[in-house]
Amino acid sequence: MCGIFAITSNRRNDIGETLVECAEKLTYRGYDTVGVATVFKDQIHLRKDKGKFDEVAEKHRLREMRGSKGIAQLRWATFGAPSKLNAQPHLDCDEILCAAHNGNILNFLPLREQYTEEGHTVRSMNDGEICVHVVERYFNQSGDLVEAIRKGCRDLKGDYAFAVMHKDDDKIYAVKMGSSLFAGIGDGETCVSSDLPSILPVTREIVNVHDGEMIILSPQKLEILRLSDGATIERNPYTSDADIRVAQKGGYPHFMLKEIHEQVSATRTLFSAIREPYISQFVDTLIEAERVFFVACGSSYHATIVGSYYFNDLANIAAIPVIGGQFNSQYGESLSENDVVVCVSQSGETKDVMDAVHHSQKHNVKILSVVNVLGSTLTHLSDLYLPLGSGFEISVPATKTYTSQVTLFSFLATQAGHKKSILDKKTVDSMLKDLKTRLPPLIDETISTTTLKARALAPYLSNFSHFYVLGHGLTHGVALEGALKIKEVCYIVADGMYSSEFKHGPLSIVDEGYPIVFSIAPNDAEHIVNHLAEVECRGARIIATGEDHQLLRRYVNEEDFLVVPNSNKYVSPILQAIPLQLMAYHLATYKNIDPDYPRNISKTLTVR
Ligand code: M6R
């Protein structure tokens, strides 16, 4: 949620151009409001408004803003409605300081009251404004901006990162307190941002920033201070080799479609991203643990559900999938140091997952993680992490990272099964070959063979405001994921459910022509026939994804059967999410919804 980008330069006096080019890459983090502030001729110039990035940038001619330093912010609204007034950045009372934040200041209401009583002009109902006033308050006392920021941070509660600048110098100050922040060192310029891709147009020399640190940007150098005692921290930059083309649409109309297609390459790069000895350490830790919890949210949580079936089946390990926000209240008090928590997150920043990490660490629980964004907070906090290597996922709906997570689970469960002598070497070799060699072309084939049918279903499905997506066993998580995609990008209440549970109530919804989508694992066809028959005899129109099977053909018409290529029990669930992603994508575009930026959603949710 929300993104900030800030830069100071001695090479440019047209900083609006760079701010727009870089901040535009943060669009996926929030598109409720946009704002840019620059310092030009010793004055702060601020333009901001409600709306998507391109609209605001054009309307307010953000590219034309002059100056050699500036801050841009894209907002996903939590505190304060999406409006021009609540848009960031915010000015202090005297308009000599300007700040923007990402994250949440949880005590902003009492602070707002206190500052107003003290005579501050607090203009908005947005928690980000408190950041500029808390600094202003201490700055007015000492005239020392670094000290003011350090003291101010002690008064703020929550998880956040912010950037602040004064009109009279060439510096920008930024802090990281629980929300993501990356810094870059360019030629005669330095910058900070909520994510890495937005820095790459300026530089590839990247400095990771840790919680509790302040970055002081000057055009010629970048300093790191520890907020608690003001000590200087030495940290060398590294050169990012991230492929910036991944952050461009590359001829596709939307990032979502591009990323669906990138699943072919993402499942390949996964296996070059994960390495020994980390794989073995990861698997050994799971085998030795008393209890294994998979903690994640949204699509990542659905991947853990599929993963829990793999671990049960292949390695006889009970891995318990838990929704991030529920973990502490459901299992928090019973944790022991023999338990292991495996956090799964594309962004590595999801607040609900972070809360589980912080709580578990207090109980000396080992934290393993599976994460896509390197340098994210989760990578810093984990005892051990495995990278997904999917490259940037720009579209708000997760697609390729979900598929890589599921693929990784099936790989890890196979390794665990082998180590526990549950699977013999021949079986393991064949399964690993399936994942490493056969899976990418099978994904490619799945996309080619199911796209037309997925697209053709859009007019029919668009007539419904709700329907069901059902799965069973290994495809339960697939059904939940398909349903989430449809809800997220089509604004249709698609309810994902375990298929045997459907008769315990929801069956009463079915009437003539009602759509029920099934995801059917190859070994389940005979069992699932019951569930198909129950809804078919009540008039449901069954749409299915699964391998071709004579029995299924009796219930599913040709045009409604999204057949995936033959593989096996473990690979098929990976493939079956793809027709559902395509169905959601085409339904969204049929309804004129931009699937990359569905309303009200942010890709990175750093709020509770
Ligand atoms: O970055 P994370 O994997 O931790 O994000 C978790 C969810 O917010 C995310 O998967 C969300 O559900 C997706 N936008 C769904 O497509």
Side-chain angles (χ1 to χ4, degrees):
M1 56 145 306
C2 299
I4 51 175
F5 177 84
I7 181 167
T8 178
S9 174
N10 61 17
R11 295 175 44 212
R12 317 176 197 246
N13 206 22
D14 54 353
I15 206 72
E17 190 67 45
T18 310
L19 282 163
V20 169
E21 185 190 356
C22 296
E24 189 248 340
K25 302 199 182 322
L26 295 167
T27 302
Y28 69 90
R29 299 180 75 95
Y31 29 96
D32 288 328
T33 69
V34 178
V36 169
T38 64
V39 172
F40 183 55
K41 293 191 174 163
D42 300 330
Q43 285 221 326
I44 297 173
H45 297 259
L46 175 60
R47 299 181 191 175
K48 54 186 186 175
D49 212 338
K50 183 181 167 178
K52 282 192 178 172
F53 191 84
D54 292 349
E55 297 156 16
V56 178
E58 201 185 316
K59 182 174 167 197
H60 293 277
R61 306 211 310 272
L62 300 182
R63 283 184 187 277
E64 293 165 28
M65 290 179 75
R66 311 271 298 155
S68 52
K69 72 174 185 180
I71 302 174
Q73 205 268 8
L74 293 87
R75 180 165 178 249
W76 180 75
T78 36
F79 296 116
S83 67
K84 185 171 179 168
L85 188 68
N86 288 326
Q88 301 198 43
H90 294 287
L91 296 166
D92 71 335
C93 305
D94 300 329
E95 306 193 359
I96 59 171
L97 293 169
C98 180
H101 96 317
N102 161 31
N104 268 178
I105 310 297
L106 296 175
N107 58 338
F108 98 96
L109 276 176
L111 288 179
R112 186 180 193 280
E113 232 165 75
Q114 179 193 336
Y115 296 171
T116 309
E117 271 170 25
E118 289 174 5
H120 284 257
T121 312
V122 185
R123 303 171 184 92
S124 75
M125 282 309 294
N126 171 239
D127 57 330
E129 187 176 352
I130 290 307
C131 298
V132 74
H133 292 290
V134 80
V135 173
E136 172 187 32
R137 197 163 164 270
Y138 289 110
F139 185 63
N140 287 346
Q141 290 166 15
S142 67
D144 181 334
L145 202 43
V146 171
E147 273 313 295
I149 294 168
R150 286 186 52 219
K151 283 187 177 160
C153 286
R154 287 183 210 143
D155 292 351
L156 301 177
K157 294 197 169 58
D159 291 287
Y160 58 88
F162 71 75
V164 56
M165 61 183 180
H166 191 288
K167 72 179 183 65
D168 288 339
D169 62 27
D170 62 358
K171 293 186 169 51
I172 293 180
Y173 308 79
V175 297
K176 171 165 162 53
M177 295 292 283
S179 288
S180 60
L181 195 71
F182 293 81
I185 306 174
D187 179 14
E189 52 197 7
T190 58
C191 58
V192 285
S193 177
S194 302
D195 78 5
L196 180 60
S198 53
I199 291 183
L200 296 181
V202 173
T203 178
R204 286 188 169 270
E205 294 302 292
I206 306 298
V207 177
N208 283 335
V209 188
H210 298 178
D211 282 337
E213 292 178 351
M214 182 196 305
I215 302 294
I216 305 176
L217 301 176
S218 312
Q220 295 294 3
K221 64 174 182 186
L222 181 155
E223 295 163 78
I224 311 175
L225 298 188
R226 195 158 48 219
L227 280 163
S228 56
D229 58 4
T232 303
I233 295 170
E234 298 296 335
R235 187 172 302 134
N236 289 332
Y238 68 92
T239 306
S240 167
D241 59 0
D243 186 354
I244 202 162
R245 284 170 310 174
V246 180
Q248 290 152 5
K249 281 188 197 151
Y252 288 91
H254 297 100
F255 281 112
M256 183 177 177
L257 189 60
K258 175 173 177 258
E259 287 160 5
I260 288 173
H261 282 260
E262 278 173 358
Q263 293 177 115
V264 180
S265 55
T267 44
R268 281 199 185 101
T269 51
L270 165 67
F271 289 106
S272 36
I274 53 171
R275 299 263 159 85
E276 285 295 357
Y278 309 110
I279 299 169
S280 296
Q281 287 169 11
F282 203 100
V283 171
D284 290 343
T285 310
L286 298 183
I287 292 173
E288 285 156 19
E290 204 159 279
R291 291 188 300 177
V292 176
F293 295 102
F294 285 165
V295 179
C297 298
S299 296
S300 298
Y301 170 67
H302 297 153
T304 70
I305 293 180
V306 184
S308 71
Y309 285 90
Y310 286 135
F311 273 94
N312 179 55
D313 231 32
L314 296 165
N316 302 169
I317 291 174
I320 307 165
V322 192
I323 290 174
Q326 280 181 289
F327 181 74
N328 291 348
S329 47
Q330 218 173 351
Y331 296 101
E333 297 315 314
S334 69
L335 291 175
S336 89
E337 58 189 17
N338 301 324
D339 296 330
V340 169
V341 164
V342 181
C343 295
V344 182
S345 173
Q346 186 284 129
S347 61
E349 302 290 345
T350 299
K351 176 78 177 110
D352 290 341
V353 174
M354 292 310 149
D355 284 347
V357 171
H358 293 304
H359 183 86
S360 304
Q361 285 178 330
K362 284 188 199 137
H363 290 258
N364 297 320
V365 172
K366 211 173 240 175
I367 306 294
L368 305 188
S369 62
V370 170
V371 62
N372 192 42
V373 178
L374 300 184
S376 57
T377 310
L378 187 55
T379 60
H380 296 313
L381 292 179
S382 303
D383 294 295
L384 178 64
Y385 70 86
L386 291 177
L388 285 174
S390 302
F392 304 125
E393 189 178 65
I394 305 293
S395 191
V396 168
T399 50
K400 61 177 176 174
T401 53
Y402 161 84
T403 293
S404 291
Q405 288 162 348
V406 176
T407 305
L408 180 59
F409 280 134
S410 105
F411 170 79
L412 294 173
T414 306
Q415 299 282 5
H418 186 36
K419 285 196 176 208
K420 288 182 74 181
S421 305
I422 294 164
L423 304 175
D424 60 30
K425 180 149 181 0
K426 199 169 154 223
T427 314
V428 171
D429 286 348
S430 139
M431 286 174 61
L432 296 185
K433 190 172 168 213
D434 282 348
L435 290 175
K436 291 183 174 178
T437 322
R438 286 190 65 211
L439 180 61
L442 285 172
I443 292 176
D444 202 17
E445 193 182 334
T446 305
I447 296 171
S448 323
T449 53
T450 60
T451 289
L452 284 181
K453 285 184 186 173
R455 187 161 59 203
L457 282 164
Y460 159 68
L461 291 174
S462 70
N463 294 320
F464 295 86
S465 59
H466 59 90
F467 57 86
Y468 277 87
V469 187
L470 306 183
H472 185 266
L474 271 159
T475 64
H476 176 216
V478 178
L480 297 184
E481 176 58 8
L484 175 63
K485 287 287 92 87
I486 291 161
K487 282 187 276 242
E488 186 177 22
V489 302
C490 310
Y491 312 158
I492 289 173
V493 186
D495 200 355
M497 189 174 254
Y498 206 78
S499 62
S500 61
E501 190 65 9
F502 192 66
K503 58 184 169 292
H504 297 286
L507 184 58
S508 64
I509 289 169
V510 174
D511 59 9
E512 203 55 40
Y514 187 79
I516 310 260
V517 182
F518 280 87
S519 170
I520 306 167
N523 54 314
D524 257 358
E526 285 170 19
H527 183 81
I528 286 294
V529 160
N530 250 357
H531 304 162
L532 300 180
E534 275 160 17
V535 299
E536 192 249 11
C537 70
R538 292 170 171 87
R541 174 165 167 185
I542 297 172
I543 296 160
T545 175
E547 290 185 7
D548 206 353
H549 196 293
Q550 215 186 330
L551 263 181
L552 303 181
R553 290 264 174 202
R554 288 198 205 151
Y555 298 93
V556 195
N557 292 330
E558 170 62 26
E559 69 270 26
D560 295 336
F561 198 0
L562 301 140
V563 177
V564 299
N566 286 354
S567 55
N568 63 46
K569 180 180 171 186
Y570 301 109
V571 168
S572 192
I574 305 175
L575 302 177
Q576 291 198 34
I578 294 164
L580 302 180
Q581 294 168 347
L582 288 165
M583 199 187 284
Y585 171 77
H586 288 293
L587 186 47
T589 54
Y590 182 80
K591 291 182 74 178
N592 274 327
I593 295 168
D594 180 348
D596 288 340
Y597 304 115
R599 68 184 179 210
N600 309 337
I601 312 276
S602 168
K603 188 158 185 74
T604 308
L605 285 159
T606 54
V607 290
R608 199 167 278 143

